[in-house]
Amino acid sequence: MQYIENIPLRGFTDGKGEFSQVDANDPDLQDIDKRLARISGHAASLRRLWQEGTDCDDILVQISAVTSALEQVGKKILQHHVGRCVEEAVQRGDSEGAIKELRKAVERIY
């Protein structure tokens, strides 16, 4: 098991020996991973655009696109959280804990 600062990581290898939290058999998790990769690329380009002296309006359009993409992937992650984590708590009979967890998750994103 791999660790980061003595915290065990749960996840999968990507077939190349690289560790990943994304289950290759779960299309929802793959979709979230692809969205985050796309966002990462766009966000990284913002600094380059700034350094190159790109017109501010063009940079603001890119910032708006990244912000929107983050909001959309946040919704997807929240849906995943509700569908998996909160549902597991309900199945364990911890409906009060599930409601508390759901409220915390919604507060984090909104």
Side-chain angles (χ1 to χ4, degrees), residues 4-72:
I4 293 180
E5 297 181 20
N6 298 321
I7 301 171
L9 295 176
R10 297 181 340 199
F12 311 90
T13 58
D14 64 1
K16 300 175 194 164
E18 294 294 318
F19 186 80
S20 175
Q21 293 286 348
V22 180
D23 181 351
N25 298 317
D26 189 329
D28 291 334
L29 294 182
Q30 290 177 355
D31 178 57
I32 289 169
D33 188 58
K34 287 177 186 175
R35 287 171 183 259
L36 290 171
R38 199 172 312 123
I39 291 167
S40 177
H42 285 289
S45 72
L46 288 172
R47 184 167 185 227
R48 179 183 49 80
L49 292 172
W50 179 256
Q51 291 174 335
E52 291 172 355
T54 302
D55 184 67
C56 290
D57 285 338
D58 293 336
I59 294 172
L60 291 171
V61 167
Q62 289 299 315
I63 289 172
S64 177
V66 169
T67 301
S68 177
L70 281 169
E71 289 172 355
Q72 293 302 312

